[in-house]
Amino acid sequence: MNIIKTKILSISLLASFSLLSAQVTTKDTSKTKAETQQTVSADAAKKAAAEERARLPKPYNVEENAEKKIAELVLQAKAENKKIILQAGGNWCIWCLRFNEFVHSTPELNKILADSYLYYHLNYSPENKNEKVFAKYDNPGAKYGYPVFVVLDADGKMIHTQDSAVLEEGKGYSVDKVKEFLLKYAGNS
């Protein structure tokens, strides 16, 4: 009788172990499928971002002497009674390129820029970090990331630093938020 009970118990334990093993394998397979799907999604997103970056205009000039250019802009701003917006970032930054395209392809924003500002793309990249210029404006990229905007009056005095994250909406920018930002500082110099 003990032999039969032992065999039944052994068979029962073996069946339980097999069932548990199958459940673990199923969970591992599901986990692997989910991880594979996440990897594929991440790769697709990277590819889409690279394609977008390739098609967008590249407004940042890595070789330009930013200190000299800003000095020229200050003279022009005085003559035209305008403010200056420095858009700090680089051609490597998808959000920087998106913003540039956004403001230039949105007529009401482009008009505000043209009427009230001189708009300059202050390069920050491994090739040219413009450290002296960034230090003059309290290194805004270190605080906010890129892009970041520095508004100067007609005398070249920094009057505002704008974090771009608060201007975002989805995978782009909000017309209303950007318009509010631009109009807030657009007044007479």
Side-chain angles (χ1 to χ4, degrees):
M1 188 74 163
N2 281 342
I3 292 175
I4 294 175
K5 284 182 180 178
T6 304
K7 283 189 177 186
I8 291 173
L9 183 59
S10 294
I11 291 170
S12 180
L13 285 173
L14 187 58
S16 294
F17 179 74
S18 294
L19 181 60
L20 182 62
S21 178
Q23 289 174 342
V24 168
T25 301
T26 301
K27 285 182 181 176
D28 286 347
T29 302
S30 295
K31 185 177 177 184
T32 303
K33 284 180 185 177
E35 288 171 347
T36 300
Q37 190 173 15
Q38 285 176 337
T39 300
V40 168
S41 294
D43 289 345
K46 285 179 186 176
K47 182 179 178 187
E51 289 171 356
E52 180 183 7
R53 187 178 293 112
R55 76 167 175 79
L56 291 171
K58 309 299 182 284
Y60 294 90
N61 183 345
V62 176
E63 297 173 9
E64 188 166 48
N65 179 334
E67 191 172 22
K68 181 180 174 187
K69 181 64 177 179
I70 293 169
E72 291 170 7
L73 290 172
V74 168
L75 293 175
Q76 184 181 348
K78 284 180 186 179
E80 296 178 18
N81 195 30
K82 291 185 176 182
K83 300 231 173 61
I84 301 167
I85 289 185
L86 307 177
Q87 180 183 323
N91 293 328
W92 52 268
C93 168
I94 191 71
W95 283 96
C96 300
L97 302 180
R98 284 176 181 160
F99 188 88
N100 177 66
E101 181 184 55
F102 175 72
V103 296
H104 285 101
S105 64
T106 306
E108 65 185 301
L109 300 178
N110 196 31
K111 181 168 177 21
I112 296 168
L113 279 176
D115 291 348
S116 302
Y117 294 98
L118 300 177
Y119 185 49
Y120 178 64
H121 293 87
L122 175 57
N123 183 73
Y124 179 84
S125 66
E127 302 86 7
N128 184 357
K129 295 182 180 181
N130 281 306
E131 293 170 314
K132 187 175 178 183
V133 175
F134 276 92
K136 182 177 179 179
Y137 303 117
D138 300 324
N139 292 308
K143 183 175 182 181
Y144 298 110
Y146 298 97
V148 61
F149 307 95
V150 177
V151 181
L152 308 177
D153 67 14
D155 294 319
K157 180 182 169 221
M158 183 173 71
I159 56 174
H160 180 70
T161 303
Q162 179 65 52
D163 177 7
S164 65
V166 301
L167 305 175
E168 294 174 12
E169 186 172 83
K171 292 197 180 266
Y173 291 93
S174 162
V175 172
D176 292 335
K177 291 176 184 177
V178 173
K179 184 177 178 180
E180 181 182 341
F181 157 58
L182 293 175
L183 289 174
K184 184 173 183 177
Y185 299 97
N188 291 335
S189 296

